[in-house]
Each structure stands twice: as C-alpha cells, then as structure tokens.
Amino acid sequence: MALKFVRGQGDGQAESGEGQKADNTHSPDNKSKWLVNYKDRLYRLSYYTGVQLMRFGKRIRRHAVAAVLDAQDWLLEQSAETRERAAYARISLRRTLEQEFFSPVRAFRARVKELRAEYDSAKSQGGDQMESFLAATSQELWAETRKVLGITFNYVAPLGAAALLFVTITTVNSFSFGLKVEYNSKVVGYVRSEADFEVAQAEMKKRIIYEDYIQPEDAVPRFTMAIVNDKDIISTNDLTDRLIESSGNELQEAYGLYIDNQFMGATTDGDSLLENLNARLEEYSTGAKDEKVSFVKDVQVREGLYPLTSIVDLRNIESELDKDESEERIYTVQKGDAPTLIAQKYDMRYSDLKELNPEIETELFVGQEVLISRSVPFLGVQVTKTVTETEDIPYEIEQVTDNSYNEGFTKVSVKGQTGEKEVTSQITYVDGVETERIVLDSRVVKEPVTQKVIVGGNKPLSYIPTSGGTNNGGFIWPVGGNGGYVSCRIWGYSGHTGVDIASQPGTPIYAAAAGQVVTAQYWGGAYGHYVKISHGNGLYTLYAHNSKLYVNPGDYVEQGQLIAAMGRTGRATGNHCHFEIINNGRYLDPLQYVG
C-alpha cells in the first residue's frame, strides 16, 4: 500500500514519554498550576454533571414511557363502565373548553360585528352621534378584549413556555466546551483538553532536535474554558505549527519523516521522499492476490512547519534508512560443541538456531562458522500473502500376523499409496525471510492407502535375550570393516539409550538379527537417518546417524544383511552407529547380548 502525506497524529491523541518530559521543563509556578488544575477539574466536573443529568433524564423518560404503556394496558383491560367514564371525562373536557374558551371568543366576535354595524350607523348620522357611540362602547370593548386576551394567554402561555424550553435545550446542546490556549501572550487556538496541548508541545520539540531551542518570553500556557463550535477546535498538528511560530525560530513548510513516531528529519522535496519509500515497498511486491506489503515499523510523512536547521538533504535521510539496525553475528565451533550447547550459550531457542543454520544437525565440525543472528535493516519490509500448496499425506503400515507362515516371513498384500492435501496458509515474510505461517484451511484431495503386510507368526524366535549378562543373546556385531570401537556406552550421559560404535564414514551397518524393518527414514531430531527392526515378541534393534539407508519399511532382512552406511546425521559430533536393543519398551545394554 503506497504511503501518503498526513497531517499530524489526529485530534485528541495524547503521547507519553517525551511529550510529558517536555511539559516538566516549562512547568508553571505553583499558583498558575493550581489555577490551571482548578479550571480543569471544574471543566471535568461540569462535563460529568451534564453526563449524569442526561443519563438521569433518559432513565426518567424510560420510566415514563413504561408507565404510559402500563396505563394503556390497564385501560384496555377495564370494564365498559371505566370506558364510559373516560368518554364522560372527554365530553366534560370538551364542554369546559367550550364554556371557558370557545364560547367567550365566539361571543366576543359576535359583539364585534354588532359594534361594527352600530359604528356604521353612527358614522352615517353625523359627528355627535359618533362621539356618543365611541364613549358608550370603548369601555365595553376594552373589557371584552381583556377578557379574551386573558383566556387566550392562560392556554397559549404554557405552550409558548414549552416551546421556548425546547429551543433553549436544543441550542445549548449544539454548543461544545473547549479550552482556549494562550501561549507567549498569544491566543493560538482551542483544544478539547490540556492533553492535546501536551501532545503538540512534545511534537514541536521533536521538530527542533537539530538546533538550539529559542525559548519564548512567556512559555507558560494558559487555558480558559470556553463555549466553542466544533469547527473552532484545531488539530494537534495545526497547534504544533502555531507553537513553533511562537517560538521565534526560522521556519519553513516541509515534510517530516517519522518512524515509530520518532522524528528522522524534514525535507522540502516531499514527493521524492514518498517515491523513495514506495519504491522500497514495490521491491518486495509480487502483485499476488491478497498480498499486503508494508513497513515493519510505522512510517509517516507529515506536512507542516519545521525549523530551517531541521530540514536536511534527502540523501542524508535515505542513508539513515539504509543502515542496519543490528549486525550479523557469527560463532566459530569449538571442540566439544553441539547444536544444543551453542543455542544455550547465546540464550536462544534451538528452533531459531536451526532455522538460521538448516544443516547444523548433519554438519557440525570444529572451525565451522555458525550464524547466530542476521543483520536486520533499520527499515524492514513485511509481506503477507495467502498461498495454497499441495502436501503429501504419508501412508501407514499395518501388519497382519498369519500363523500359517513361519516367523520371519513377510509379504505385502496391499501396497501403500501416499495421499495429497491442499493447504492454504497465510505466510508473513520480513525482508524476504519467512517469519510466520498460519494455516487457514486444509482439504484432503486424495486419501492415503494403508499398506498391509502379512507377517509369519508360526514359530517364536529362539534368541530372546536373558538378563544373565552373558554374550550369547543371538545378536551379531552390527558394524563391519574393522568393527570400530565403542566411543560411548549405554547411559554414558543422561538420555543415552544405546551404545555408540565409532568408525570411518561409509562403514557398512548390518542387521544384528533377522526381522522386519518397521522404520527406515530421516528424523530431523537426534537420530538423523535411522533404521528400526522388529524381531518379534516386543524385541527391536535400532541403528542411528547413518549416511545412507539400503532398506525400506516392510522389508524382511536376514541376520548380517547390509541395511545402512555409517554417518553423522542427526545430533552427532562424529561418524558412529548408535545401536539400541529394546525389549518391550525397556532399553538393554547391547554389549551384554552381542556374540
């Protein structure tokens, strides 16, 4: 998304930290501070009281509406007698109005018509008759007029008062309360609260970090509560401009760059600054659907007044943006190091170390350079995109024992097939490196087919080991060539469940006894490439850290058959075969059972 010019942080947004620190530098004396705080409390009390009155009015109105509805329900439920009484009351009211208002008014109008006729007659007869008419009727006409006016006023006055009250309330509600700000003996504008002034004052001091601040003669702000229109309230950015104008510094319209609300400098060439920033975003944009490209940090270009010495060459700003926030760190492997130990040395997660060095579990030798942390650009770019990928679903292996075959017999009755699934993920990259992956949806396209293997079970093995400690358990030495040497016995350290037999890389590894291969795969954890063979009745052997595997799951192997080549895959610091004998979940010492 392309960056645009902005005008400040918005109205009413208070900052912490530097803005508060700036306020302490120019604090008023105790009396002025007391007056400011008193006015602020009075303003807040007035606001709180008004809110409470509005809430009280709403509650009264709700109760009144509820009472009217209840009364209406009650009236509807009353008998015909009650309805007759209500009708009688309406008739009485109509009669009262007729007698007290309408009849006097009609009588007055009729009398006026009579007087007009008498007036016309007197006028036609001459002056004496006219004077006599006026003298006789003036007093009567005035008395009737007063009577009608009195009746009219009694009815119209309450309605007029209600209308006047409504107009007054509507007018008052349209008013807004604010604070008039005086700074350096000048009225700089109106704000909602003192917090807005503190934000503007902090922003002003950010813009003058490149020069000595010219202190105004009167730097103590004065606040006066006032009734204002909403259009009179100015934004914090406009207030910042007006405060800078009052400071006495030489100013110029420019475009300031802010990163995480930290002022980096200003330039008069705002268009070029925006082009440079947007070009950095475009570098990582691929145009994919739903792709979002943005800076890791909050970046804003704000238009406003800036002191001349805060305006720098655009190339200086670009050079600051090109710097690295943290440098690359390298560790050289020492004798006795292991991947987990290196992670512990730098107090980092093992998964993070492996992500930086994908081959560290299979290749780790003295003198090797290990990446501890990458260099991080000051202005990193984050890309978020939605990606749909196809992944394999591994098939399972099911063994079916058939006693019609001797032990050691194996046959694949149903061949396993790998399944497929469509996985939709939201992936986040920072500077081209994946940092987060969230799975949004997963849909199975093709179900895996379980491989079924028939295993003979007619005769149990005759070489089940005993605990007598003799070397006649029926197993042969698994390492070929010169046989190697034992580099670490079982339980040589915590969690070491087998014996390590070291030799040259590529040395052949043989099956210590006949059986069926249940596992032949690469494990990204400790074992690396390993083979596990079942010998029946809960007895297994395991061969780990191999460089190559020559068997597959489900294969039947004879004793002494080649199954792998020695290596150092997984968590290994040298070429060796990690050899285990497992009897019903219990780890046995191989040296007690190998003949």
Side-chain angles (χ1 to χ4, degrees):
M1 183 176 181
L3 293 174
K4 300 179 180 179
F5 297 126
V6 296
R7 292 288 298 180
Q9 307 97 309
D11 297 341
Q13 296 180 353
E15 290 183 355
S16 60
E18 190 172 349
Q20 296 174 354
K21 184 176 180 181
D23 183 61
N24 293 333
T25 305
H26 306 290
S27 59
D29 55 28
N30 293 334
K31 183 176 180 181
S32 299
K33 183 183 295 185
W34 182 86
L35 287 174
V36 170
N37 292 336
Y38 175 78
K39 292 178 180 179
D40 183 64
R41 288 196 297 272
L42 180 60
Y43 173 75
R44 295 177 188 276
L45 178 61
S46 302
Y47 175 79
Y48 176 79
T49 304
V51 170
Q52 292 297 101
L53 287 174
M54 291 176 63
R55 291 175 178 171
F56 178 76
K58 289 181 180 179
R59 287 199 296 272
I60 294 298
R61 185 172 59 193
R62 286 199 300 270
H63 291 316
V65 171
V68 171
L69 293 176
D70 291 340
Q72 182 180 358
D73 293 339
W74 182 80
L75 289 174
L76 292 175
E77 293 173 358
Q78 300 308 303
S79 62
E81 181 181 354
T82 304
R83 290 195 294 272
E84 289 177 1
R85 289 179 181 176
Y88 177 77
R90 289 195 297 271
I91 295 172
S92 298
L93 178 61
R94 190 180 300 114
R95 287 176 179 174
T96 301
L97 290 174
E98 178 69 25
Q99 292 172 2
E100 295 185 3
F101 182 73
F102 296 115
S103 293
V105 170
R106 283 197 293 268
F108 176 74
R109 292 175 61 186
R111 181 57 183 156
V112 168
K113 289 182 179 180
E114 292 176 359
L115 290 174
R116 175 169 290 186
E118 293 176 7
Y119 170 79
D120 292 338
S121 175
K123 184 177 180 182
S124 63
Q125 293 178 8
D128 293 338
Q129 189 67 22
M130 186 67 177
E131 291 179 2
S132 176
F133 168 78
L134 292 175
T137 59
S138 61
Q139 187 174 359
E140 178 189 358
L141 184 61
W142 172 243
E144 291 295 329
T145 302
R146 288 177 59 189
K147 183 178 179 181
V148 172
L149 289 176
I151 295 172
T152 304
F153 180 78
N154 289 337
Y155 284 92
V156 174
L159 296 177
L164 179 61
L165 179 61
F166 175 77
V167 171
T168 302
I169 293 175
T170 304
T171 304
V172 172
N173 284 339
S174 65
F175 292 155
S176 296
F177 290 94
L179 295 178
K180 180 174 69 174
V181 182
E182 294 183 63
Y183 186 77
N184 199 21
S185 302
K186 297 179 181 179
V187 176
V188 294
Y190 296 88
V191 294
R192 291 292 184 194
S193 66
E194 292 183 31
D196 294 343
F197 175 82
E198 294 171 358
V199 171
Q201 190 178 53
E203 178 65 22
M204 173 190 68
K205 294 189 176 182
K206 286 181 183 178
R207 294 187 186 180
I208 56 177
I209 59 175
Y210 290 109
E211 68 174 18
D212 294 332
Y213 177 56
I214 300 177
Q215 179 77 16
E217 294 180 2
D218 184 6
V220 179
R222 291 177 174 80
F223 303 98
T224 305
M225 189 162 53
I227 297 177
V228 297
N229 292 323
D230 290 338
K231 63 181 181 180
D232 295 329
I233 302 296
I234 62 175
S235 67
T236 53
N237 193 71
D238 291 335
L239 182 58
T240 300
D241 288 345
R242 296 184 185 184
L243 292 179
I244 291 179
E245 288 176 338
S246 301
S247 67
N249 292 270
E250 293 187 64
L251 309 173
Q252 184 173 347
E253 281 282 346
Y255 303 88
L257 175 63
Y258 293 78
I259 298 180
D260 279 348
N261 208 31
Q262 181 66 38
F263 179 59
M264 303 298 297
T267 177
T268 56
D269 192 358
D271 292 334
S272 296
L273 177 58
L274 280 183
E275 288 177 5
N276 180 277
L277 293 172
N278 289 323
R280 294 170 185 264
L281 296 177
E282 288 294 332
E283 182 180 350
Y284 290 90
S285 176
T286 62
K289 183 180 179 182
D290 299 329
E291 182 182 62
K292 297 179 181 178
V293 184
S294 63
F295 291 114
V296 176
K297 298 178 179 179
D298 179 36
V299 178
Q300 291 186 3
V301 178
R302 300 178 191 166
E303 181 183 2
L305 288 175
Y306 293 86
L308 286 180
T309 51
S310 293
I311 300 174
V312 297
D313 190 276
L314 181 59
R315 288 174 296 181
N316 293 344
I317 296 178
E318 293 174 354
S319 64
E320 288 295 322
L321 299 181
D322 290 333
K323 290 182 178 179
D324 288 338
E325 192 170 34
S326 61
E327 299 295 332
E328 184 177 81
R329 299 178 65 187
I330 298 295
Y331 172 73
T332 303
V333 178
Q334 308 294 322
K335 185 177 181 180
D337 276 337
T340 53
L341 296 178
I342 296 174
Q344 292 173 5
K345 282 183 181 180
Y346 288 92
D347 192 24
M348 62 187 302
R349 294 183 302 178
Y350 180 71
S351 58
D352 293 339
L353 179 65
K354 185 179 176 183
E355 183 180 348
L356 294 171
N357 306 271
E359 304 297 327
I360 194 170
E361 291 183 340
T362 57
E363 297 181 5
L364 186 68
F365 50 87
V366 175
Q368 178 181 336
E369 291 186 344
V370 175
L371 183 60
I372 302 301
S373 64
R374 292 190 178 94
S375 59
V376 179
F378 176 74
L379 194 60
V381 177
Q382 175 178 290
V383 179
T384 303
K385 62 176 67 175
T386 302
V387 178
T388 300
E389 301 171 316
T390 301
E391 296 183 2
D392 290 337
I393 305 176
Y395 61 83
E396 297 180 352
I397 299 177
E398 179 184 338
Q399 294 186 15
V400 180
T401 302
D402 189 342
N403 291 327
S404 62
Y405 297 98
N406 290 332
E407 288 186 354
F409 174 83
T410 179
K411 178 182 178 182
V412 177
S413 60
V414 177
K415 188 176 181 180
Q417 295 182 10
T418 303
E420 291 183 356
K421 61 180 178 180
E422 265 189 5
V423 179
T424 302
S425 305
Q426 185 182 71
I427 307 176
T428 300
Y429 302 88
V430 175
D431 297 324
V433 178
E434 182 178 333
T435 59
E436 185 181 22
R437 179 183 290 257
I438 301 174
V439 176
L440 303 178
D441 183 50
S442 181
R443 182 175 65 90
V444 176
V445 178
K446 177 184 175 183
E447 293 285 354
V449 177
T450 301
Q451 179 167 298
K452 295 184 179 181
V453 180
I454 299 175
V455 179
N458 182 47
K459 181 182 179 182
L461 294 175
S462 60
Y463 46 79
I464 300 176
T466 64
S467 58
T470 60
N471 290 343
N472 57 1
F475 295 99
I476 65 171
W477 190 257
V479 177
N482 60 4
Y485 63 93
V486 176
S487 60
C488 183
R489 299 176 66 94
I490 189 172
W491 311 121
Y493 56 85
S494 177
H496 192 245
T497 53
V499 60
D500 290 348
I501 306 171
S503 188
Q504 297 298 318
T507 300
I509 304 298
Y510 302 111
Q516 183 179 16
V517 177
V518 294
T519 305
Q521 66 178 26
Y522 175 77
W523 178 35
Y527 288 158
H529 291 288
Y530 76 103
V531 176
K532 188 175 183 179
I533 301 175
S534 171
H535 306 289
N537 296 333
L539 185 64
Y540 298 88
T541 54
L542 185 143
Y543 315 78
H545 306 308
N546 304 289
S547 60
K548 294 181 180 179
L549 301 180
Y550 301 124
V551 292
N552 298 303
D555 291 349
Y556 178 79
V557 294
E558 298 288 349
Q559 185 178 51
Q561 181 176 332
L562 179 65
I563 60 174
M566 182 177 292
R568 53 181 295 180
T569 60
R571 199 170 302 164
T573 56
N575 292 284
H576 68 278
C577 172
H578 176 81
F579 178 50
E580 294 180 1
I581 298 179
I582 308 159
N583 186 22
N584 291 311
R586 188 165 60 94
Y587 294 98
L588 307 179
D589 182 1
L591 298 181
Q592 299 293 322
Y593 300 97
V594 175

